[in-house]
Amino acid sequence: MSIRLFALLSVVLCICVRGDVTLAQHVAASPASSDWNSDLPLAEAEDINPDPRIVEVNMTAKFASVEVAPGKRVNAWTYNGGLPGPFIRGKVGDRLIVHFKNELDQGTTIHWHGVRVPIEMDGVPGISQPEVLPGESFTYDFILRDASLYWYHPHVFSAAQVGFGLYGALLVEDPDDGVGIDDELTIVLSDVGFDRTGKLEPADSGGPAGMVFGREGAYLLVNGKVMPTLRVRSGAVQRWRIVNTAKSRFFFIDLDGQTFTKIGGDGGLQEESVTSDAMLVTTGERVDVLVTPTGKPGSSLVVKAMLYNRGYGSVEYRSVEDLFTIQFTDEPALPKRALPKITRTITPPSGVNATPIDIVLTLPPQDANGQSEFHINGVPYWKAKPFRAKLGETQLWTIKNESDWDHPMHLHGYFFMPVDEKNQPIRPMLWKDTLNVPMKTTARFLVAFDERPGQWMFHCHILDHAEGGLMGTVVVGDVPTVEHIHKTGG
Ligand code: C2O
Ligand code: CU
């Protein structure tokens, strides 16, 4: 067996070995409506500003021991001591101010994934701000322009820092979105690897093969807990906004075969809803779904993560894993109810005169030292020149993935519109900021760089791949350009 295969297998093995974990005990939470209960709350950020249009929070990155299941603790890297970090909520148009302090022992930043921030607030060290060094502070301050679920995470050694626990959800609500489902839940899916003493699995475990695969932690976390319980009344319609904050793991969610009605994703509501039997959420992506879990009162079912082939090692020797339990209350099931029809009028960017940008993703054979790197157009990030766009320019990006791994590609600062081979928007239309490009396929999108000049990152959101070279920048407008260096993180 080649060394590479051996190393890969050992990564796969440590992914599959999982300690026995007892189910989280459920406690009653505040019901959003009479038939709703949940023990999946996210710790909310405290808003210290009395102005109703300003959300102002203190956020400190620090080490903390966190209980992810009864008796199971991990020495995580956290925001404000919790896993995930504080759940920040605002309304569309609000101003968000975050007083950030770094109490870790290495530099970090906060990137606001998906949010249309000014470049100064984008959190990329060496490009949009200096690293926030240990003991230092930085204030993020911007307007929440678009309703959707977003998330935040560091952009320094991000495969390590995100994998160790630095991530949280940011929900920007539109009270007039017309969805009208009271029972709402934000679900942060992630994973973490640690040993019986709570020590984190090293960020370089598995060596180059670990990087090529994209390291996954053995513990699947749902709002920071292993196998929590959601208590619901059978037949109650719920709105779940889900974000995948894992550094590499995809979540392909099965609700005991019951359907998901997807009403939106990364950039808010979509043109019209789509119903499916399972829901794929790749790293960095968000989905907004309506579900109606149904079962005998008093019974329960398990929501599972099914196998999804994102490359060698993701299905071989792997099995379906449990995510959380839905426990039906004893109340009689609610009668079946038609879901509200949710639509949105979306005007896509025009593909006429769009500047073509061709991107090819490859994984060349490992070098003589056994090292691997991912390439964009033949070079890893640190040897690549930035792409360019004029302010106001619309571009058609064609991303050809020639490698044997899926790559969920994320562009900072702008939403884009996926299109087909004829450059027509894929229906129903949905604004995206992260788009999975499955292995050996090509994806295309239109993006209008219509505002906010600056140097913006794009990269694979399997953060090990990003660190392994699968990153780039696009310089929008006539602004000073920074050369790519190694340490920008995905
Ligand atoms: Cu969520 Cu540059 O990433
Ligand atoms: Cu990738």
Side-chain angles (χ1 to χ4, degrees):
M1 175 159 45
S2 73
I3 294 199
R4 173 164 164 189
L5 183 60
F6 176 74
L8 181 55
L9 283 176
S10 34
V11 174
V12 171
L13 282 178
C14 49
I15 290 155
C16 301
V17 180
R18 176 170 152 179
D20 55 331
V21 169
T22 37
L23 301 193
Q25 293 301 303
H26 52 75
V27 288
S30 55
S33 68
S34 60
D35 48 46
W36 169 259
N37 270 295
S38 157
D39 78 338
L40 284 182
L42 284 165
E44 291 210 22
E46 188 195 350
D47 180 1
I48 56 173
N49 193 313
D51 186 326
R53 299 315 312 268
I54 301 178
V55 179
E56 187 165 358
V57 305
N58 290 316
M59 184 116 77
T60 302
K62 58 178 176 192
F63 303 114
S65 161
V66 181
E67 189 170 59
V68 296
K72 284 264 175 206
R73 294 193 151 265
V74 52
N75 301 318
W77 296 28
T78 72
Y79 292 116
N80 290 0
L83 197 65
F87 179 36
I88 304 174
R89 306 164 80 118
K91 293 201 170 40
V92 67
D94 285 358
R95 175 175 169 197
L96 175 63
I97 304 171
V98 177
H99 302 285
F100 176 61
K101 181 152 198 277
N102 180 10
E103 291 183 359
L104 301 169
D105 60 6
Q106 64 176 237
T108 189
T109 58
I110 306 182
H111 166 61
W112 305 91
H113 182 120
V115 184
R116 293 198 294 161
V117 292
I119 189 71
E120 298 76 23
M121 297 292 126
D122 197 43
V124 178
I127 291 190
S128 51
Q129 70 167 104
E131 257 180 54
V132 184
L133 296 172
E136 288 187 347
S137 299
F138 187 88
T139 297
Y140 294 92
D141 185 344
F142 50 87
I143 302 295
L144 303 169
R145 299 166 51 179
D146 309 281
S148 195
L149 177 64
Y150 305 92
W151 64 295
Y152 57 91
H153 62 80
H155 229 284
V156 180
F157 294 128
S158 60
Q161 294 194 359
V162 173
F164 292 163
L166 291 170
Y167 47 81
L170 163 62
L171 178 61
V172 182
E173 289 173 293
D174 175 2
D176 303 319
D177 69 5
V179 178
I181 302 293
D182 291 331
D183 296 340
E184 292 187 331
L185 191 63
T186 295
I187 300 177
V188 178
L189 299 176
S190 61
D191 64 5
V192 66
F194 60 93
D195 68 13
R196 17 178 105 245
T197 67
K199 188 164 159 273
L200 288 160
E201 187 174 347
D204 61 355
S205 72
M211 184 283 287
V212 167
F213 176 61
R215 300 166 178 98
E216 300 185 0
Y219 294 92
L220 279 68
L221 303 183
V222 179
N223 289 356
K225 297 273 182 269
V226 175
M227 266 303 269
T229 299
L230 178 65
R231 291 196 296 135
V232 301
R233 181 171 181 177
S234 174
V237 181
Q238 302 171 34
R239 180 178 187 182
W240 292 354
R241 292 176 174 98
I242 306 173
V243 55
N244 179 356
T245 68
K247 64 174 169 176
S248 299
R249 183 187 290 270
F250 287 11
F251 287 92
F252 190 30
I253 310 167
D254 164 60
L255 175 52
D256 207 27
Q258 301 183 25
T259 55
F260 295 84
T261 299
K262 186 176 175 206
I263 61 171
D266 298 355
L269 296 179
Q270 60 194 41
E271 196 178 17
E272 54 193 38
S273 57
V274 179
T275 296
S276 58
D277 292 336
M279 191 49 49
L280 177 66
V281 195
T282 72
T283 47
E285 277 191 311
R286 286 87 67 209
V287 297
D288 190 347
V289 295
L290 302 183
V291 292
T292 314
T294 305
K296 237 174 96 237
S299 72
S300 63
L301 62 81
V302 174
V303 176
K304 296 195 163 82
M306 296 193 295
L307 295 180
Y308 181 83
N309 185 12
R310 65 169 181 82
Y312 180 72
S314 50
V315 293
E316 295 82 0
Y317 319 106
R318 302 283 296 268
S319 38
V320 171
E321 294 182 79
D322 296 346
L323 281 175
F324 62 95
T325 300
I326 291 183
Q327 171 71 50
F328 294 106
T329 64
D330 291 329
E331 300 154 284
L334 291 165
K336 200 167 169 51
R337 136 171 189 209
L339 295 178
K341 194 165 158 49
I342 292 147
T343 59
R344 176 179 176 189
T345 307
I346 292 178
T347 311
S350 163
V352 182
N353 299 326
T355 314
I357 302 289
D358 293 311
I359 292 175
V360 181
L361 312 179
T362 53
L363 175 67
Q366 53 192 155
D367 68 15
N369 304 317
Q371 296 303 310
S372 289
E373 49 186 36
F374 280 100
H375 288 178
I376 294 179
N377 294 353
V379 279
Y381 175 71
W382 40 92
K383 290 183 187 152
K385 292 265 164 298
F387 288 52
R388 303 231 157 232
K390 289 192 202 66
L391 195 61
E393 181 174 334
T394 297
Q395 297 188 338
L396 170 65
W397 286 33
T398 301
I399 306 177
K400 188 168 184 221
N401 179 3
E402 292 185 348
S403 76
D404 286 320
W405 308 86
D406 283 18
H407 300 296
M409 297 301 292
H410 170 50
L411 172 66
H412 285 206
Y414 299 86
F415 293 115
F416 53 77
M417 179 60 60
V419 296
D420 62 18
E421 329 54 65
K422 298 198 181 96
N423 302 338
Q424 294 307 305
I426 291 173
R427 311 303 284 264
M429 285 190 272
L430 166 64
W431 292 110
K432 295 286 292 169
D433 56 56
T434 309
L435 178 67
N436 188 36
V437 188
M439 58 188 100
K440 304 287 185 200
T441 66
T442 300
R444 298 168 183 80
F445 61 74
L446 286 166
V447 53
F449 294 106
D450 48 355
E451 48 160 12
R452 289 170 301 123
Q455 186 168 2
W456 301 91
M457 303 282 312
F458 63 91
H459 57 87
C460 178
H461 224 289
I462 291 178
L463 295 173
D464 284 310
H465 292 180
E467 301 279 356
L470 211 54
M471 284 192 291
T473 62
V474 52
V475 176
V476 177
D478 199 5
V479 296
T481 301
V482 176
E483 245 184 83
H484 296 171
I485 51 159
H486 236 104
K487 198 175 136 188
T488 303

